Amino acid sequence: MSAMLDDLALFVAIVEAGSLNAAAAAEDLPPATVTRRLQKLESQLGYRLLNRSARRMQPTAEGWQYYEQCRPLVHALRQATRQLDASLSAVSGSIRVLAPVNFASGLLTPAWISFMRQYPAIRLELELSNRLQDMVSSGADLAIRVGALDDSSLMQRRLGSAALVMVAAPAYLARAGTPQDLASLAQHELIVAEPLRTWRLRRPGDGAEMVLQPQARLRVNEMRLAVEMAEAGIGVLLCPLLQCRAEVADGRLVRVLPDWMPQPRHVYAVWTQRRYLPARVRVLLEHLARFAQDCPALNEPT
């Protein structure tokens, strides 16, 4: 069907140009190609559209009727295509982004600010949630995802990696003792912050790896609250370093089992399709990538 529409548009162009050669030049096609496609269209329709001779070209009665009926449709289609091209290439309009709460409202805050200042014609709609939302049903243009991606229908661009640390308050360690090995963690009170239900650890010294399914004394789906609870001495927490950097720096939280390095979690920008990504979404994607490249918290040595 699309090929026939192309040939129909070419027929309209031939009539308006006045000759096959003029239409070929206007459409940047070889004259033989124009002749072949016209013949194919006539064959599909079952009647002759043009009377052609060496010197002149004249539409047949059927050709005139066909031209009069199709010309407005072809011009309307071309106009709609031009408008769509302009829309896709315009750095304006609305962008809807899904992102985790603490990650987007803390680490990425400067990126949102600089983006909105740089692109005043873009409206940004940020929907922050710690739950994984379906991009198609939510109508989002872009999403920030942390951790392994298991949806093969999504395109992705890695922005960086978020380092994790295992921490506890000095008051908790004074009361419960300091864990000496991974096995002793089972005797400790643990805080599990969603979505870190599984603790993946690696010991750089000998390359040993361990995957723990921690039994939580406290389970919470908001990382900032988890850090505050750990600081209050409730238990041992695995969390992103960017969420507890200040607490670790001033000693309110201390590293636990420092020989074991939690595996960092990769950070991705994801979207539902590669082709025809609107310019407004492309510029946001590039803006986030540049920000992440210069962001120490997304490039921690591991």
Side-chain angles (χ1 to χ4, degrees):
M1 178 62 78
S2 62
M4 188 172 181
L5 286 173
D6 290 339
D7 293 339
L8 166 61
L10 181 59
F11 166 65
V12 171
I14 293 169
V15 175
E16 293 180 343
S19 74
L20 293 174
N21 286 340
E27 299 294 320
D28 195 23
L29 293 170
T33 300
V34 174
T35 300
R36 177 179 53 78
R37 286 175 54 181
L38 176 62
Q39 291 171 343
K40 186 177 75 169
L41 180 62
E42 289 177 327
S43 175
Q44 288 174 318
L45 295 172
Y47 47 80
R48 196 173 181 84
L49 295 172
L50 296 173
N51 290 318
R52 322 187 262 290
S53 67
R55 298 194 173 188
R56 62 193 299 270
M57 178 206 78
Q58 186 69 25
T60 63
E62 294 85 0
W64 275 120
Q65 183 179 0
Y66 198 60
Y67 169 75
E68 292 295 340
Q69 290 179 346
C70 294
R71 181 176 58 88
L73 299 177
V74 169
H75 284 285
L77 181 59
R78 282 178 174 163
Q79 184 178 7
T81 301
R82 282 194 294 269
Q83 290 172 342
L84 180 60
D85 287 344
S87 172
L88 288 173
S89 60
V91 186
S92 63
S94 181
I95 307 175
R96 190 153 187 261
V97 182
L98 307 179
V101 176
N102 294 122
F103 191 82
S105 61
L107 184 73
L108 294 182
T109 300
W112 307 128
I113 293 171
S114 56
F115 180 78
M116 296 203 73
R117 286 175 175 166
Q118 186 173 346
Y119 298 99
I122 290 181
R123 299 184 305 278
L124 196 57
E125 182 181 342
L126 300 177
E127 183 167 334
L128 308 186
S129 173
N130 290 330
R131 296 192 179 280
L132 200 61
Q133 294 175 276
D134 180 71
M135 286 200 65
V136 176
S137 62
S138 67
D141 298 295
L142 203 66
I144 307 299
R145 297 272 168 89
V146 184
L149 298 180
D150 55 5
D151 188 342
S152 60
S153 70
L154 296 178
M155 309 308 301
Q156 67 185 46
R157 178 163 175 177
R158 184 171 151 183
L159 299 178
S161 297
L164 302 178
V165 289
M166 197 185 311
V167 294
Y172 171 81
L173 298 176
R175 170 169 56 86
T178 299
Q180 299 303 311
D181 51 42
L182 286 181
S184 65
L185 276 180
Q187 278 72 55
H188 281 265
E189 298 183 350
L190 305 181
I191 302 172
V192 174
E194 301 284 355
L196 298 174
R197 301 188 192 98
T198 300
W199 293 6
R200 302 179 187 277
L201 307 167
R202 183 174 183 275
R203 189 165 54 197
D206 58 6
E209 296 188 359
M210 186 69 68
V211 178
L212 303 180
Q213 302 294 337
Q215 296 300 309
R217 166 92 198 282
L218 170 67
R219 185 182 296 270
V220 60
N221 72 340
E222 209 279 327
M223 193 65 70
R224 188 64 239 164
L225 177 58
V227 172
E228 291 172 356
M229 297 295 277
E231 187 183 347
I234 300 301
V236 178
L237 169 68
L238 181 72
C239 76
L241 178 56
L242 64 93
Q243 296 290 341
C244 65
R245 189 187 303 276
E247 289 81 359
V248 171
D250 62 19
R252 286 175 286 160
L253 291 173
V254 297
R255 299 279 291 271
V256 173
L257 296 173
D259 288 346
W260 286 91
M261 297 281 293
Q263 298 282 40
R265 305 182 79 220
H266 297 317
V267 180
Y268 300 91
V270 301
W271 61 98
T272 55
Q273 56 186 3
R274 185 191 299 278
R275 298 179 65 198
Y276 311 126
L277 194 65
R280 63 184 183 276
V281 182
R282 269 201 316 276
V283 295
L284 176 59
L285 182 61
E286 293 302 326
H287 190 87
L288 290 171
R290 284 193 300 272
F291 174 83
Q293 188 174 7
D294 297 330
C295 178
L298 289 176
N299 297 277
E300 297 278 1
T302 57

